[in-house]
Amino acid sequence: MNSIVSKCMNKITDLFYPKICYLCNAPLQENGLCHKCWNKIRFIQDPACKTCGNPFSYDMGESISCGKCIQNKKYYIDYAKSIMKYDINTKKLIMSYKNHNCFYLTNFFANLMNNSIKEWADNVDYIIPIPLHNWRLFWRGYNQTEILTKQLSKIAKISHLRDGLLRTKWTYSQSKFNKAGRKKNMENAFEINYAHENKIKGKNVLILDDVTTTGATLNSAAKVLKDAGVKGVYCITIAKSISF
């Protein structure tokens, strides 16, 4: 009886919410991307820098950092990965999720992230989303990274701290600035939530955000966590601005 009801509900759902490609709206049997659009996505794969996630042109060995990361003494991230290149196609997906309440993308992104962090899963103790300032949260109505963190936590079976970091400074959109401006814009933008200070001290934390450009946002958050006694900082984002 339950199976019959379930099948009827699925048919009703498909009638009002048909399964279509997230990019081109072509009809599909299952939610996701059609074959043509899937091939448009430029996935970032190894070999890549372990600390910033930029791909290498050739294999330099496991757990290797690029020259820029080695030289940057004010870089606080230990490991970083992004799933895909940020371009016109991934921008459409992310902006839909970020600004237009397209929550059906949550599971899609979370599963891709889970595949990317499997090698970290046994080492990470908590996942923490990049927070929004309270005014921006009020204006948008939700924090997309918080929603995504909750789903990734469920799939990866890693505890999450929804409010592990707090946004203490209003920041302008990073797209308005060059590299130096982005860094300055994010200075002192975060602080630790002291209600969780003892939980994260000596632990490994995974920070989750949607897009990485210069890495200023993630690095600012990583510094706060390291100052609070976090042992290792891992980062995962949906997409990253790179040239390849």
Side-chain angles (χ1 to χ4, degrees), residues 130-169:
I130 288 293
L132 292 178
H133 189 276
N134 286 339
W135 281 111
R136 196 179 297 276
L137 181 61
F138 174 77
W139 174 73
R140 185 179 296 170
Y142 63 93
N143 180 1
Q144 74 283 353
T145 61
E146 182 183 318
I147 296 169
L148 188 52
T149 295
K150 184 176 180 180
Q151 183 64 11
L152 178 60
S153 169
K154 180 180 177 181
I155 296 172
K157 296 179 171 57
I158 301 172
S159 298
H160 75 285
L161 297 176
R162 178 185 61 82
D163 56 351
L165 285 168
L166 303 176
R167 195 97 171 208
T168 55
K169 171 187 170 184

Side-chain angles (χ1 to χ4, degrees), residues 40-85:
K40 292 179 181 179
I41 303 297
R42 301 295 299 275
F43 289 98
I44 301 173
Q45 299 175 332
D46 290 333
C49 172
K50 76 178 183 71
T51 41
C52 72
N54 274 333
F56 292 134
S57 57
Y58 58 91
D59 193 349
M60 299 176 65
E62 293 184 4
S63 298
I64 300 296
S65 296
C66 67
K68 288 183 178 180
C69 289
I70 293 172
Q71 293 174 5
N72 190 349
K73 303 302 180 184
K74 294 184 178 180
Y75 198 70
Y76 302 93
I77 297 168
D78 297 295
Y79 299 92
K81 286 187 176 184
S82 297
I83 300 168
M84 56 189 76
K85 178 185 177 181

